[in-house]
Amino acid sequence: MAPMRGERGGSPARGARASLPLPRRLIRQIARHVASSGRSLRRLEVSGRVIDNFDDIDDGSDESDVDTSQPAVACGGNAGNLPPADHDDDLTSLSWLQDRNLLRGINLTKADMEDTKMISSQVIVKTESKTPPPTSRIPSPPRTPCKTPPSPPAVNTHTKPPYSFSCLIFMAIEAAPARALPVKEIYAWIIRHFPYFKHAPQGWKNSVRHNLSLNKCFHKVAAAPGLGKGSLWTVDPQHRSTLLQAFGRQPVPPAEAEPESERNAPDPQLFPYLARRLADARAPPGADEYLAAATVLAMKYGPAVLDQLPPEAHLVISRCARDEHSYSGGEERRTAEALLNLAGVSAHAHAPS
DNA sequence: GACTGAGTAAACACTT
DNA sequence: CAAGTGTTTACTCAGT
């Protein structure tokens, strides 16, 4: 597993803006988080304010809230100036997820939570990546030790994706606004996001149908009028966590030094789509939203990221699966909210305006 | 070696 | 009738 090395240093420190809608420390951590996954953070909207010049929040050497244990990182608004970590210990992208508490890891205060409105559609992840995401260097958490070194999906378009058909179907259905798709749309989603299947032998469609029929996680629902042949397929809510766990167990091939465009990772455009769905919810976030947030995380950073979540997050996810989502204050609620935030969706986006 | 999960192929029935 | 969809069975393979 190739270590993640930064190719450039951070940009020079500049005068920070007078006021940012949330602590620079947090913005830096978000930027650093995205940056160290080998991608670029180019634009972020917080509380309605667009931050597109991360030079402004760079450095932090003059910031009181700077965590001096971490080197400054500039997530430039311009493409390609993303400074991948050159500090193995400090810039492991998800290292702060290792903390016992997600919130403690990113040092989110309650006020941070309330001020933070991050819609993932506004967190643009560049498609070009200089370095593979760094999950490979994240030590496995005590709860679910990862036997295979976690690394992002990095498979050539012409090789088979590292996901089982059930996971592919799961992702396809999850990405749908109605969380239900006819089999034809599932084919289309898979082809769109995993071009390998464009030219793969036709047998894979049979496998998809076979999987839909055989896998208890998928349910057929009444076809919508005018749908034509076939039915809509949905994910059984009771088996959602099973799929998520299966997703997290997917074997991940070693990262290769390939252009991202040739990799077989899901299209990043998928995430804003899911995020919008989450954000559109009128009611306060519930089990579905938290599980969807976990799904977004897994899709964003690779399935191994689920193994990097602290026990609290798994507790939330498992409780969601059992429909026990009573986050009456305390760690669990904050962890649940942090799941949404990590996925790029503020819990407050759900609140009725 | 048994078991399990996943992938593949094939046959068949049904629907549009 | 053709094509697509859904179900089922059987087999192989890899991992445990």
Side-chain angles (χ1 to χ4, degrees):
Chain A
M1 195 80 48
M4 308 280 305
R5 294 262 165 215
E7 297 176 10
R8 308 174 194 188
S11 61
R14 297 179 193 171
R17 287 177 186 160
S19 66
L20 286 168
L22 77 168
R24 291 183 176 81
R25 162 182 43 78
L26 177 57
I27 298 177
R28 274 197 304 275
Q29 286 189 336
I30 293 169
R32 189 178 297 128
H33 175 52
V34 176
S36 57
S37 72
R39 299 182 172 102
S40 266
L41 183 61
R42 298 161 68 182
R43 184 172 180 270
L44 175 71
E45 180 164 337
V46 183
S47 298
R49 176 170 164 190
V50 173
I51 302 169
D52 56 7
N53 183 358
F54 290 87
D55 287 345
D56 278 3
I57 56 163
D58 181 31
D59 183 354
S61 57
D62 56 347
E63 295 291 327
S64 59
D65 58 352
V66 165
D67 178 356
T68 52
S69 69
Q70 299 187 332
V73 168
C75 290
N78 55 328
N81 71 343
L82 219 268
D86 56 3
H87 227 262
D88 279 353
D89 291 336
D90 294 334
L91 282 182
T92 51
S93 69
L94 301 178
S95 57
W96 42 283
L97 288 179
Q98 297 301 300
D99 287 357
R100 201 185 133 278
N101 182 337
L102 278 172
L103 293 177
R104 193 190 71 195
I106 59 177
N107 295 324
L108 270 183
T109 65
K110 192 170 182 180
D112 288 340
M113 278 297 200
E114 289 170 356
D115 286 344
T116 303
K117 290 197 185 299
M118 293 181 295
I119 304 302
S120 93
S121 62
Q122 291 159 320
V123 178
I124 301 171
V125 178
K126 284 171 52 185
T127 53
E128 63 270 18
S129 171
K130 294 246 191 310
T131 57
T135 51
S136 59
R137 289 182 298 119
I138 298 171
S140 298
R143 180 183 167 275
T144 52
C146 218
K147 285 192 174 178
T148 52
S151 65
V155 181
N156 190 283
T157 332
H158 301 295
T159 64
K160 207 172 176 187
Y163 304 105
S164 67
F165 279 112
S166 57
C167 287
L168 292 174
I169 296 167
F170 173 54
M171 287 191 277
I173 294 175
E174 278 302 295
R179 290 181 236 185
L181 281 181
V183 69
K184 205 170 181 177
E185 290 300 312
I186 295 175
Y187 296 156
W189 188 95
I190 291 174
I191 290 174
R192 190 160 60 246
H193 293 83
F194 299 94
Y196 159 82
F197 289 103
K198 207 171 195 171
H199 305 293
Q202 285 297 299
W204 71 272
K205 291 183 177 177
N206 191 7
S207 296
V208 168
R209 295 196 305 273
H210 166 78
N211 216 293
L212 285 169
S213 288
L214 212 66
N215 200 324
K216 286 177 287 189
C217 300
F218 304 117
H219 276 177
K220 202 170 55 175
V221 298
L227 184 66
K229 283 182 189 174
S231 316
L232 288 173
W233 290 90
T234 62
V235 174
D236 183 347
Q238 292 189 325
H239 289 93
R240 216 148 167 256
S241 63
T242 307
L243 284 168
L244 265 179
Q245 286 161 11
F247 194 45
R249 283 196 305 268
Q250 291 300 294
V252 179
E256 296 167 23
E258 296 175 12
E260 175 119 353
S261 58
E262 298 203 352
R263 290 183 184 172
N264 223 341
D267 187 343
Q269 289 302 315
L270 170 71
F271 316 136
Y273 196 34
L274 263 177
R276 263 202 308 279
R277 194 190 78 201
L278 289 168
D280 280 348
R282 294 285 179 269
D288 267 4
E289 281 66 37
Y290 295 131
L291 285 175
T295 307
V296 170
L297 277 179
M299 291 184 186
K300 263 184 176 179
Y301 304 111
V305 76
L306 293 178
D307 280 339
Q308 315 304 320
L309 296 176
E312 285 80 1
H314 287 279
L315 185 62
V316 167
I317 291 171
S318 62
R319 287 197 177 182
C320 288
R322 296 195 305 268
D323 208 25
E324 305 169 9
H325 37 102
S326 54
Y327 311 111
S328 51
E331 295 278 296
E332 277 186 44
R333 166 149 198 99
R334 289 196 297 275
T335 304
E337 290 176 354
L339 266 181
L340 292 175
N341 275 294
L342 287 170
V345 183
S346 166
H348 288 264
H350 298 260
S353 53

